[in-house]
Amino acid sequence: MLRVYGGMIVLALAGPVAAQQRLGEVQAPRAPEQVYAKVCGYCHGRNVGPILLGRHLPAETVKYVARHGQNGMPAFRPTEVTPAELDALAAWIATAPARKEEHGQ
Amino acid sequence: MSGFSIDRRGLLGTGLGASLAAGLGTGASAANPAPLAPGRTKADFAGAMKAFRGVVGAEWVFGDEEAVAPWSKTYIPDPAHQYKPVGAVCPQSVEEVQEIVRIANTYKQPLWTVSTGKNMGYGMTAPATPGQVVLDLKRMNRILEVDADLGTCLLEPGVTYQQLKDYLEENKIPLWIDVPTVGPIASPVGNTLDRGVGYTPYGEHFMFQCGMEVCLPDGRLMRTGMGSIKGSTAWQAFKWGYGPYLDGLFTQSNFGIVTKMGLWLMPKPPVYKPFMVRHANMEDVPKIIEAMRPLRVSNLVANCNLMMSASYQLAMFKRRNEIVPDGAPLDEASLKKAATANGLGMWNTYFALYGTEQTVAGVEPIIRATLTASGGEVLTAAEMEGNPWFHHHQTLMQGGLNLDEVGLLRWRGAGGGLAWFAPVAAARGVEAERQTALAKEIVEKHGFDYTAAYAIGWRDLHHIIALLFDKADPAQEQKADACYRELVTRFGAQGWASYRTGVNSMDLVAQQYGEVNRDFNRTLKRAIDPNGILSPGKSGIHP
Ligand SMILES: Cc1cc2nc3c(=O)[nH]c(=O)nc-3n(C[C@H](O)[C@H](O)[C@H](O)COP(=O)(O)OP(=O)(O)OC[C@H]3O[C@@H](n4cnc5c(N)ncnc54)[C@H](O)[C@@H]3O)c2cc1C
């Protein structure tokens, strides 16, 4: 029997609503917290990249660095983080509070 | 702008705000626009770009230098700034890809295809020859099928490992993925097409690929394996189909654009037990490989092992000047001291056991005995819990996601320079011993460090040498370029050629594989792509 999973609705957990990946559909727009968790946060605040949150970095600078990739950071293209996602992400990073669990090394 | 003075890891430079206009060391602000493809006029290029806009919409075609900057960033040495795309076009469907290919034929506009375009240390999205428009497939990111019983999936090129893992977890499907070290932002399709490697038992990625859909250079769609049989349910189950096996032709090549790919996924085992084997001396290389080979060939150890040098490991989370002063060579005594202080040996070999309580308990003593006899300390989570290096490999060997290794990029200065040199050898201790000695001699001669690992495959070794340099320093970039060429040439002279290479060295490596092979590839290329529009220069294959 061919059992194909798809279109399943999974209850959203507490916190920011995460857009689920659905079978046969392109990735839905992601909230800033989600982009941060799935892309930026793997390096920033986890030994590899500098801490971003709680530093009130100007949104324009965040956008510029994301698109150009400063120094050891790769550049992120509009196909990876859409212009709308990046606008929201940069605004969110500019105002987000610091997180205790984040660390540089 | 005072908030910018914190420079924890050097990725955000000081005085950033003031230097926005100066280009931030991104390398994307060069005054000269990228050149067009040979023989193409501005009018040809403008015509192609206009037609592309008609297919995907103006917002998904990028032509001016600033807009193309995200596709121009590379880590590889490129002292002449020659690896630069001239534009980018980003379709979201197979039909759009076909239309783009037809337009490219009309205007003879070459297209450099990428899936997620994170080929970091091999050129990222930069093309091998001038004047190419990047065909960026990241927006095609549909997971088309996951079959939990067969352990298969069918994916579009833009699906990241992160997306696939999230999908499996959200839907409680007990299948694993197998990631290269940079999983979150890279893709199963892109990595497999460059014949990349991961670290579960499904780590030799192309071995676990099954069925493709390919847009040919004339715009027609072809399915490989069982995919062309109407009503077949075995496209993702049976690799070979009938007649010549075609899938290999579309890996590391420029014969087609892969628009769908089938993959096998490993069922999550009841027991997963990661190990680290710590060896104290640089000279232990042959002993480790001799001990590991029978375990790998017999499949008692089923995953691709990473045998990591102390310097590679330290470079992930430390800076060079924390270990030796700037300008000083990275001597063995300093390295050993830093390694010991961090719970590491001079070589650290990671493998895991997968199975049931009974099978793991049955195999473990055999493996322990062999590896202990090689002079290694065999360690598990019981001893290594909390060690960040052990944690990293523990994550990798179960298809987990992290980007810890990106830390390598700031080992030396803040400029982010990296070129992978990955020569292949048979899994024999003596060969590895000779390779390590030769690599050390060459990199040190040019002022660089031997930061390397061996990936121990079934019967082969990929010697993965990270040539790390400061790309912000033009003199170092020049030296890195010279060093890389010497590595390729002198290893080649000993019979060791690369399994894969960056756009900076594709012709050089292709020459080593010989004129008959090159001629065969060229003959195919001319027959199927007479206008030479698909990724000219990939793997040294030119129209
Ligand atoms: C720190 C670090 C660690 C790394 N570790 C690993 C590792 O463990 N294993 C490993 O394999 N790599 C590793 N890499 C290298 C690289 O980043 C990965 O291989 C990555 O998966 C490749 O990028 P991608 O998946 O986005 O593929 P892409 O960049 O999209 O594709 C790679 C190439 O495949 C071809 N291609 C892609 N899509 C298509 C298509 N649809 N049709 C035809 N041809 C296509 C193109 O030539 C393209 O350039 C590492 C890099 C870094 C910096």
Side-chain angles (χ1 to χ4, degrees):
Chain A
M1 190 192 77
L2 193 78
R3 182 146 45 93
V4 174
Y5 288 78
M8 232 183 217
I9 295 159
V10 178
L11 284 182
L13 302 169
V17 180
Q20 305 274 333
Q21 176 76 44
R22 286 160 174 273
L23 210 61
E25 291 180 16
V26 292
Q27 189 174 44
R30 296 161 298 172
E33 292 90 329
Q34 224 187 335
V35 178
Y36 186 82
K38 306 286 177 172
V39 186
C40 328
Y42 279 108
C43 289
H44 294 280
R46 268 209 233 170
N47 289 336
V48 175
I51 287 172
L52 304 178
L53 304 184
R55 292 176 56 197
H56 309 291
L57 302 176
E60 282 310 309
T61 310
V62 172
K63 288 201 270 186
Y64 187 91
V65 174
R67 287 288 183 246
H68 293 74
Q70 194 194 358
N71 297 333
M73 177 179 159
F76 290 90
R77 312 178 316 270
T79 50
E80 295 172 277
V81 179
T82 65
E85 284 175 338
L86 185 58
D87 282 343
L89 175 74
W92 179 80
I93 287 177
T95 55
R99 289 182 179 173
K100 277 205 196 65
E101 69 275 20
E102 290 200 340
H103 49 91
Q105 199 189 61
Chain B
M1 291 293 160
S2 57
F4 286 99
S5 59
I6 305 167
D7 180 20
R8 280 175 195 274
R9 303 310 302 154
L11 293 176
L12 269 183
T14 49
L16 181 57
S19 60
L20 270 184
L24 289 171
T26 61
S29 65
N32 308 320
L36 299 177
R40 297 297 87 202
T41 64
K42 276 188 179 165
D44 297 326
F45 176 63
M49 294 297 268
K50 182 164 180 240
F52 292 153
R53 284 194 285 272
V55 177
V56 296
E59 69 273 34
W60 292 112
V61 179
F62 302 82
D64 72 78
E65 199 189 347
E66 177 56 24
V68 179
W71 288 269
S72 302
K73 164 97 187 187
T74 63
Y75 293 156
I76 51 170
D78 180 18
H81 306 293
Q82 55 185 321
Y83 303 108
K84 275 185 156 201
V86 72
V89 54
C90 316
Q92 201 168 35
S93 70
V94 176
E95 294 75 19
E96 288 177 2
V97 171
Q98 291 178 281
E99 261 321 293
I100 289 167
V101 167
R102 288 185 193 115
I103 292 165
N105 272 301
T106 305
Y107 291 92
K108 300 194 169 45
Q109 172 56 53
L111 300 169
W112 182 261
T113 305
V114 301
S115 288
T116 40
K118 283 286 176 277
N119 215 2
M120 302 186 287
Y122 291 110
M124 222 90 78
T125 54
T129 65
Q132 304 201 42
V133 169
V134 180
L135 178 62
D136 179 338
L137 303 179
K138 176 70 192 77
R139 295 177 65 227
M140 291 174 61
N141 56 29
R142 297 169 187 86
I143 297 170
L144 297 164
E145 270 181 35
V146 174
D147 189 310
D149 298 325
L150 290 172
T152 63
C153 66
L154 182 66
L155 305 176
E156 285 193 334
V159 175
T160 58
Y161 287 103
Q162 177 81 58
Q163 269 177 279
L164 182 56
K165 186 158 185 95
D166 286 350
Y167 179 81
L168 296 171
E169 283 179 356
E170 282 159 15
N171 293 288
K172 301 194 167 45
I173 301 170
L175 295 172
W176 273 3
I177 60 169
D178 183 287
V179 294
T181 326
V182 288
I185 53 180
S187 58
V189 175
N191 184 283
T192 303
L193 288 174
D194 229 19
R195 297 205 295 265
V197 183
Y199 308 100
T200 77
Y202 282 31
E204 182 62 88
H205 289 160
F206 185 47
M207 206 100 79
F208 296 92
Q209 176 273 340
C210 192
M212 287 179 186
E213 178 185 84
V214 188
C215 178
L216 298 173
D218 61 7
R220 286 183 304 166
L221 283 186
M222 177 173 80
R223 290 186 172 188
T224 65
M226 305 309 290
S228 310
I229 301 296
K230 283 210 170 56
S232 171
T233 53
W235 191 21
Q236 270 62 68
F238 181 61
K239 278 169 74 87
W240 318 121
Y242 175 73
Y245 176 68
L246 297 176
D247 299 50
L249 286 177
F250 301 105
T251 66
Q252 291 192 4
S253 84
N254 49 18
F255 299 147
I257 298 163
V258 175
T259 49
K260 291 183 179 65
M261 181 187 279
L263 287 175
W264 292 345
L265 303 174
M266 175 175 159
K268 179 181 188 300
V271 173
Y272 161 64
K273 185 164 185 182
F275 290 81
M276 166 183 174
V277 193
R278 197 160 61 193
H279 281 83
N281 300 307
M282 274 311 276
E283 304 76 58
D284 291 333
V285 170
K287 285 190 227 165
I288 306 169
I289 287 166
E290 288 301 307
M292 240 345 155
R293 186 186 53 245
L295 301 177
R296 289 291 290 120
V297 172
S298 64
N299 229 18
L300 277 180
V301 169
N303 68 321
C304 173
N305 312 153
L306 275 178
M307 176 183 152
M308 311 279 290
S309 67
S311 47
Y312 189 124
Q313 296 253 273
L314 290 167
M316 289 163 57
F317 300 131
K318 304 282 175 198
R319 291 183 161 225
R320 192 179 191 278
N321 60 17
E322 293 173 54
I323 294 161
V324 289
D326 283 332
L330 187 66
D331 65 289
E332 227 169 285
S334 307
L335 205 48
K336 203 173 222 173
K337 198 168 140 218
T340 310
N342 288 288
L344 300 166
M346 290 302 269
W347 290 99
N348 308 278
T349 308
Y350 298 89
F351 71 92
L353 294 179
Y354 308 81
T356 62
E357 291 288 354
Q358 268 183 323
T359 62
V360 169
V363 170
E364 186 174 336
I366 305 170
I367 290 171
R368 277 186 179 272
T370 309
L371 295 172
T372 308
S374 78
E377 292 170 83
V378 181
L379 306 160
T380 63
E383 298 86 13
M384 297 307 292
E385 193 69 65
N387 178 291
W389 288 275
F390 184 82
H391 180 262
H392 169 73
H393 291 276
Q394 180 178 31
T395 306
L396 271 188
M397 294 189 295
Q398 56 181 319
L401 297 168
N402 68 51
L403 289 171
D404 291 350
E405 269 199 26
V406 175
L408 290 177
L409 268 303
R410 43 102 190 100
W411 168 244
R412 200 177 183 121
L418 161 64
W420 295 112
F421 173 56
V424 174
R428 287 201 184 87
V430 284
E431 280 201 57
E433 189 171 35
R434 285 172 51 217
Q435 281 206 356
T436 295
L438 183 60
K440 260 175 82 74
E441 182 216 312
I442 298 169
V443 296
E444 286 172 5
K445 177 179 129 189
H446 291 269
F448 299 109
D449 302 321
Y450 177 70
T451 35
Y454 283 97
I456 311 179
W458 251 336
R459 288 162 175 80
D460 64 287
L461 299 174
H462 290 188
H463 190 177
I464 305 169
I465 300 166
L467 180 61
L468 299 171
F469 62 99
D470 186 351
K471 206 170 151 104
D473 174 349
Q476 246 190 63
E477 184 167 15
Q478 194 85 50
K479 277 190 202 163
D481 187 53
C483 178
Y484 196 91
R485 280 163 206 287
E486 185 169 342
L487 283 165
V488 173
T489 310
R490 290 186 54 200
F491 269 71
Q494 302 290 316
W496 297 314
S498 304
Y499 91 97
R500 170 187 185 189
T501 202
V503 288
N504 55 320
S505 47
M506 287 181 171
D507 286 332
L508 194 62
V509 172
Q511 280 159 17
Q512 298 181 321
Y513 280 88
E515 204 35 52
V516 178
N517 298 46
R518 282 200 102 177
D519 187 52
F520 184 78
N521 285 333
R522 199 182 303 118
T523 305
L524 279 180
K525 181 70 179 164
R526 287 183 179 159
I528 60 171
D529 184 10
N531 293 321
I533 52 150
L534 295 192
S535 303
K538 175 72 188 179
S539 298
I541 308 168
H542 295 269

